[in-house]
């Protein structure tokens, strides 16, 4: 494995968990040689991914359908529930030479790992096996987001925008019209005060909106909506000290401590926002497309989806795009490629889209109402789901040291959001500690 020592040193703090995945032994032809439809002999490969129980069930069904095709390749699904735990295990197994054959990555992690020479460059395989028209069915932004230095290191698996999930019962009770495309930050505050009930009994309280106790990727939505970001255009400088970035962070803070329409971390550290929403104590919950599945069929929850409110500049929300990549350490690269093509292809995408797990990465399937969010199964505005993803969705920024830079940002934003550090102090700390990582 190229640059193994350098890669291992970056993640030296991770406890060795190499027993998670055993490495297969059969050799595969290199890219550009042989026929990818014919394996030398039957092989078993490992495919690892993260997610909740519903995600696990969907991907096990995907794997089962592939295995029934009798291609000479058998896929073993390896599931890890939590993303942070998943990423640590991937890093550990790659460093120890026991990596799985197919890895599920968030798009900006593809960039970070590819920059360390530990992923297979898929560019020539794509040219070998696909004509331009077929490859062009993938949404262009997703393909670009999984490149490093012009080379393709992963194929999109699934994606999805961010939305405002709203409780119709609480809106009706407060006499507030359901959120729509006219909503702005100002609307959120004004209507949010009507939706909030500041009862002394915390079990009887309701809030308009809520954020996770720990800083997550949600904060970048508000940074973008104010016109800020992590980096400048060429990623030569951080923008946490810019007025627009600070405006977005200040707005989130004010929703909790000034406007008091969002619970502070002392509450959300005990009750997650999604649980507050599910129990009827939260009027609006902002999160990814995967929650459409979570809330569909939920008892005593009358809900809908809307766009994110528009900030001073836009209403962007992060796109949760993931892709499938092959580690350099895999001994079954061609077999892994067969599975990746299946997942990215029409049949694999139909399986993923059927349950509303995420948006298809192919335009034709995205627009097919019979295959993606059919009205008889999902009681939502399908047009909002698509537009919120295609028009108002934005990929997280990529950088080879994204993981470390994001960790620094989260550390000090956590302190800011629990009222233990001022915004100026937090952003200065981020600038001081993360700027050297740009080099």
């Amino acid at each position: 494995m190229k640059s193994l020592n350098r890669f291992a040193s970056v993640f030296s703090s991770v406890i060795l968990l190499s027993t998670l995945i055993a490495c297969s032994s059969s050799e595969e032809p290199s890219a550009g040689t042989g026929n990818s439809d014919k394996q030398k002999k039957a092989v078993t490969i490992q495919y690892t991914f993260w997610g909740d129980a519903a995600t696990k069930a969907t991907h096990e069904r995907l794997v089962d359908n592939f295995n029934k095709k009798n291609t000479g390749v058998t896929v073993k699904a390896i599931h890890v529930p939590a993303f942070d735990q998943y990423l640590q295990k991937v890093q550990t197994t790659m460093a120890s030479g026991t990596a799985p054959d197919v890895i599920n990555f968030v798009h900006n992690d593809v960039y970070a790992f590819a920059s360390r020479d530990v992923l297979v460059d898929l560019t020539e395989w794509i040219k070998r096996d696909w004509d331009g028209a077929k490859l062009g069915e993938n949404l262009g932004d997703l393909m670009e987001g999984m490149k490093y230095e012009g080379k393709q290191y992963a194929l999109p698996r699934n994606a999805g925008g961010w939305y405002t999930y709203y409780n119709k019962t609480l809106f009706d009770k407060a006499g507030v019209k359901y959120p729509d495309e006219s909503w702005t930050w100002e609307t959120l505050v004004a209507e949010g005060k009507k939706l909030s009930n500041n009862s002394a009994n915390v079990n009887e309280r309701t809030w308009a909106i809520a954020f996770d106790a720990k800083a997550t990727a949600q904060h970048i939505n508000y940074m973008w909506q104010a016109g800020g970001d992590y980096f400048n255009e060429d990623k030569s400088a951080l923008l946490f000290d810019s007025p627009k970035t600070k405006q977005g962070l200040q707005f989130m803070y004010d929703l909790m401590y000034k406007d008091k329409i969002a619970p502070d971390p002392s509450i959300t550290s005990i009750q997650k926002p999604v649980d507050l929403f599910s129990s009827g104590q939260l009027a609006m919950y902002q999160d990814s497309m995967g929650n459409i599945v979570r809330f569909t069929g939920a008892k005593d929850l009358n809900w809908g989806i809307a766009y994110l409110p528009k900030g001073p500049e836009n209403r962007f929300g992060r796109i949760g795009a993931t892709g499938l990549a092959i580690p350099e350490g895999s001994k079954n690269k061609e077999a892994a490629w067969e599975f990746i093509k299946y997942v990215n292809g029409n049949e694999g995408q139909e399986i993923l889209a059927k349950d509303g797990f995420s948006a298809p990465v192919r335009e034709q399937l995205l627009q097919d109402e019979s295959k993606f969010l059919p009205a008889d199964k999902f009681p939502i505005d399908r047009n909002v789901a698509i537009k919120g993803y295609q028009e108002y969705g934005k990929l997280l920024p990529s950088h080879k040291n994204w993981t470390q830079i994001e960790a620094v940002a989260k550390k000090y934003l956590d302190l800011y959001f629990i009222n233990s550090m001022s915004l100026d102090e937090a952003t200065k700390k981020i600038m001081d500690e993360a700027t050297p990582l740009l080099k």
Side-chain angles (χ1 to χ4, degrees):
M1 184 184 297
K2 293 179 284 185
S3 302
L4 179 58
N5 290 335
R6 178 158 56 96
F7 179 80
S9 66
V10 174
F11 304 109
S12 59
S13 61
V14 182
I15 300 173
L16 188 62
L17 297 169
S18 59
T19 56
L20 172 70
I21 302 169
C23 194
S24 301
S25 59
S26 57
E27 295 293 333
E28 293 297 328
S30 60
T33 63
N35 187 336
S36 63
D37 294 324
K38 296 180 181 180
Q39 302 298 323
K40 287 184 177 181
K41 58 182 178 179
V43 296
T44 297
I45 64 172
Q46 296 96 11
Y47 162 49
T48 185
F49 59 94
W50 78 91
D52 59 15
T55 300
K56 180 176 182 288
T58 295
H59 283 270
E60 287 177 342
R61 183 161 55 255
L62 179 73
V63 167
D64 287 345
N65 276 271
F66 176 82
N67 289 339
K68 290 175 183 176
K69 297 180 73 67
N70 297 317
T71 60
V73 179
T74 299
V75 178
K76 180 181 179 182
I78 298 175
H79 169 251
V80 179
F83 174 70
D84 290 344
Q85 181 188 19
Y86 167 83
L87 197 59
Q88 286 184 342
K89 289 182 177 180
V90 167
Q91 293 162 353
T92 301
T93 57
M94 292 181 81
S96 64
T98 59
D101 301 286
V102 179
I103 297 176
N104 175 210
F105 275 134
V106 176
H107 79 93
N108 49 357
D109 285 325
V110 172
Y111 188 101
F113 277 72
S115 71
R116 290 176 170 84
D117 298 323
V118 295
L119 298 182
V120 173
D121 175 7
L122 304 179
T123 308
E124 292 304 315
W125 287 0
I126 291 170
K127 292 179 181 179
R128 181 191 73 184
D129 290 352
W130 273 335
D131 59 47
K134 188 172 182 181
L135 180 60
E137 292 175 5
N138 285 310
L139 297 171
D141 287 349
L142 302 184
M143 291 293 288
E144 287 298 317
M146 294 174 193
K147 287 182 178 179
Y148 174 68
E149 294 186 344
K151 296 179 180 179
Q152 197 77 45
Y153 283 89
L155 283 182
R157 186 197 72 173
N158 65 278
W162 270 58
Y163 307 95
T164 297
Y165 295 86
Y166 61 94
N167 185 314
K168 294 182 178 180
T169 302
L170 291 181
F171 271 76
D172 292 343
K173 184 177 179 180
V176 176
K177 291 183 178 179
Y178 300 153
D180 57 26
E181 203 164 3
S182 70
W183 272 48
T184 63
W185 280 7
E186 291 74 21
T187 315
L188 173 61
V189 173
E191 300 301 295
K193 290 179 179 179
K194 302 174 187 176
L195 293 161
S196 300
N197 169 18
N198 295 317
S199 171
N201 185 341
V202 70
N203 295 320
E204 296 178 357
R205 292 188 65 179
T206 59
W207 293 271
I209 195 168
F211 313 112
D212 288 330
K214 295 286 186 179
T216 66
Q218 188 170 359
H219 65 262
I220 201 170
N221 295 344
Y222 289 90
M223 291 163 57
W224 282 337
Q225 290 163 16
D229 210 330
Y230 264 63
F231 310 102
N232 63 355
E233 188 170 352
D234 64 3
K235 298 183 178 67
S236 62
L238 291 168
L239 297 178
F240 277 91
D241 60 349
S242 75
K244 290 184 177 181
T245 296
K246 287 184 176 182
Q247 183 181 8
L249 297 171
Q250 183 70 56
F251 181 73
M252 284 186 69
Y253 178 94
D254 287 346
L255 292 177
M256 292 183 281
Y257 296 101
K258 177 186 173 183
D259 305 311
K260 299 186 183 300
I261 65 171
D264 64 50
S266 68
I267 295 173
T268 52
S269 61
I270 299 172
Q271 285 185 284
K272 294 180 179 179
V274 66
D275 295 329
L276 290 171
F277 184 76
S278 298
S279 66
Q281 288 186 269
L282 189 65
M284 291 173 285
Y285 173 61
Q286 293 179 345
D287 207 336
S288 63
M289 180 176 284
N291 288 278
I292 292 175
V293 177
R294 182 197 295 262
F295 299 136
T296 295
K299 295 181 179 179
D300 302 321
L301 184 62
N302 185 16
W303 62 282
I305 63 169
Y307 306 113
L308 299 180
K310 183 179 182 297
E313 295 289 334
N314 56 65
R315 63 173 82 246
F316 286 149
R318 63 181 292 253
I319 291 179
T322 68
L324 299 182
I326 304 172
E328 278 285 3
S330 169
K331 295 180 174 61
N332 299 293
K333 294 182 177 68
E334 282 281 0
W337 177 236
E338 289 302 308
F339 179 63
I340 288 176
K341 287 192 298 182
Y342 174 80
V343 176
N344 179 263
N346 287 329
E347 184 174 337
Q349 286 296 299
E350 283 188 30
I351 293 171
L352 291 176
K354 181 179 180 181
D355 294 335
F357 167 72
S358 62
V361 299
R362 293 179 174 271
E363 179 73 29
Q364 184 177 359
L365 285 175
L366 183 68
Q367 303 300 336
D368 189 336
E369 187 173 354
S370 68
K371 295 175 180 176
F372 176 56
L373 299 179
D376 61 341
K377 187 174 181 181
F378 297 100
I380 61 168
D381 188 330
R382 188 172 178 276
N383 293 326
V384 171
I386 293 177
K387 189 174 181 179
Y389 163 50
Q390 282 196 299
E391 186 169 331
Y392 299 135
K394 184 175 180 177
L395 289 172
L396 288 171
S398 295
H399 190 278
K400 65 184 297 182
N401 289 328
W402 167 259
T403 301
Q404 298 96 309
I405 292 169
E406 187 185 36
V408 172
K410 285 183 176 180
K411 177 172 66 174
Y412 292 112
L413 290 180
D414 280 347
L415 294 174
Y416 169 56
F417 288 128
I418 65 172
N419 225 7
S420 292
M421 182 176 283
S422 72
L423 180 57
D424 287 342
E425 289 173 321
T427 53
K428 185 179 187 304
K429 286 285 189 181
I430 295 170
M431 295 295 295
D432 290 345
E433 294 187 21
T435 295
L437 296 170
L438 296 179
K439 302 177 182 180

